[in-house]
Amino acid sequence: MKKQIYMFDMDGTLLDLAYDELIWNTVVPNELVKHHPMQPEKIKQKLHQQYTEYQNTLSWYSTTFWSNTLQIDILQLHRLHALHIQPRAGCYELLAELNRRGHECWIVTNADLANLNLKLENTLLRPYFKHIISSESIGYPKEHEQFWHHVMAKYPFSVKESVFIDDTYRVLNQAEQYGFQHVWMISQPSSQSEMKTQLPYPSINALTDLIPFISRLS
Ligand SMILES: [Mg+2]
């Protein structure tokens, strides 16, 4: 059987997005409320505007950017809640199975290096991966058309034979445009949100749902 590369997004794919939702939708607004004499609803509105403004840019994924913009220590808030970082169903089982069959696993994440390291320190992910790539070190987020060109220059791989799994439509769409032929979408990135239906790409929920397809993808 041919050895392949399986590239995984991290937040919402390998790890439960409920953690990041907790940080950005609850912990950060609550922290801002402590520091500002404004109505909590006003603070949340303003924060939501800022989130929308920077979506799909490297800034959005930068803990330094948000610490500077909001004047609170985002990384410290992450550390305080790190026990909520959890793998999604079937995560380690799928990674172990791919490694056992000799396939290469990579993480390809928009998380910045600080956030990535925090997640790696609080999970058992690291040993399964040959490469762990943050878009911060690539210089473009995964949604940007330059992203995969720069990954390819640094880490040459066969785009036609590799498999890419992510929970974000724009990211999968960019990968498809670059030439990926095997892309999979996560149907329930957060355990605290509804399962998505009618997805534009083949989808899985538990990561082990991919196992029956491994031999067929080769
Ligand atoms: Mg994601």
Side-chain angles (χ1 to χ4, degrees), residues 48-66:
H48 187 75
Q49 278 171 9
Q50 285 170 309
Y51 287 168
T52 309
E53 185 177 349
Y54 293 101
Q55 237 168 22
N56 304 308
T57 70
L58 271 187
S59 295
W60 203 88
Y61 301 104
S62 166
T63 42
T64 312
F65 171 82
W66 287 112

Side-chain angles (χ1 to χ4, degrees), residues 59-121:
S59 295
W60 203 88
Y61 301 104
S62 166
T63 42
T64 312
F65 171 82
W66 287 112
S67 292
N68 291 338
T69 302
L70 303 174
Q71 292 293 300
I72 53 176
D73 188 341
I74 297 287
L75 210 53
Q76 179 60 14
L77 294 176
H78 270 288
R79 283 193 206 99
L80 285 172
H81 295 83
L83 81 168
H84 294 288
I85 299 171
Q86 294 295 334
R88 291 189 63 259
C91 172
Y92 297 128
E93 293 89 334
L94 173 65
L95 295 172
E97 184 61 19
L98 288 169
N99 281 186
R100 192 184 68 76
R101 296 193 196 190
H103 297 299
E104 241 175 59
C105 296
W106 298 13
I107 289 178
V108 183
T109 179
N110 273 333
D112 70 353
L113 292 164
N115 185 13
L116 171 61
N117 284 325
L118 177 108
K119 302 269 171 68
L120 293 176
E121 282 162 19

Side-chain angles (χ1 to χ4, degrees), residues 67-216:
S67 292
N68 291 338
T69 302
L70 303 174
Q71 292 293 300
I72 53 176
D73 188 341
I74 297 287
L75 210 53
Q76 179 60 14
L77 294 176
H78 270 288
R79 283 193 206 99
L80 285 172
H81 295 83
L83 81 168
H84 294 288
I85 299 171
Q86 294 295 334
R88 291 189 63 259
C91 172
Y92 297 128
E93 293 89 334
L94 173 65
L95 295 172
E97 184 61 19
L98 288 169
N99 281 186
R100 192 184 68 76
R101 296 193 196 190
H103 297 299
E104 241 175 59
C105 296
W106 298 13
I107 289 178
V108 183
T109 179
N110 273 333
D112 70 353
L113 292 164
N115 185 13
L116 171 61
N117 284 325
L118 177 108
K119 302 269 171 68
L120 293 176
E121 282 162 19
N122 287 281
T123 59
L124 305 169
L125 288 175
R126 197 189 293 268
Y128 295 104
F129 294 95
K130 167 140 191 205
H131 295 303
I132 298 182
I133 302 166
S134 160
S135 58
E136 184 181 9
S137 51
I138 297 299
Y140 296 93
K142 288 189 282 185
E143 299 90 318
H144 197 285
E145 59 177 14
Q146 283 298 317
F147 177 81
W148 288 106
H149 293 283
H150 287 254
V151 173
M152 182 63 88
K154 271 192 168 173
Y155 309 92
F157 65 95
S158 163
V159 68
K160 286 202 163 52
E161 288 172 17
S162 299
V163 182
F164 180 56
I165 305 126
D166 202 291
D167 65 310
T168 303
Y169 170 72
R170 285 182 66 143
V171 168
L172 288 164
N173 185 254
Q174 199 57 248
E176 187 182 39
Q177 287 189 30
Y178 183 70
F180 278 86
Q181 299 190 346
H182 306 293
V183 295
W184 291 79
M185 194 165 190
I186 300 294
S187 56
Q188 194 181 14
S190 164
S191 60
Q192 301 301 309
S193 301
E194 296 283 297
M195 181 158 333
K196 300 181 197 169
T197 53
Q198 301 197 323
L199 297 175
Y201 292 107
S203 66
I204 50 170
N205 186 17
L207 285 153
T208 36
D209 294 346
L210 198 67
I211 290 178
F213 297 95
I214 294 175
S215 45
R216 276 185 255 167

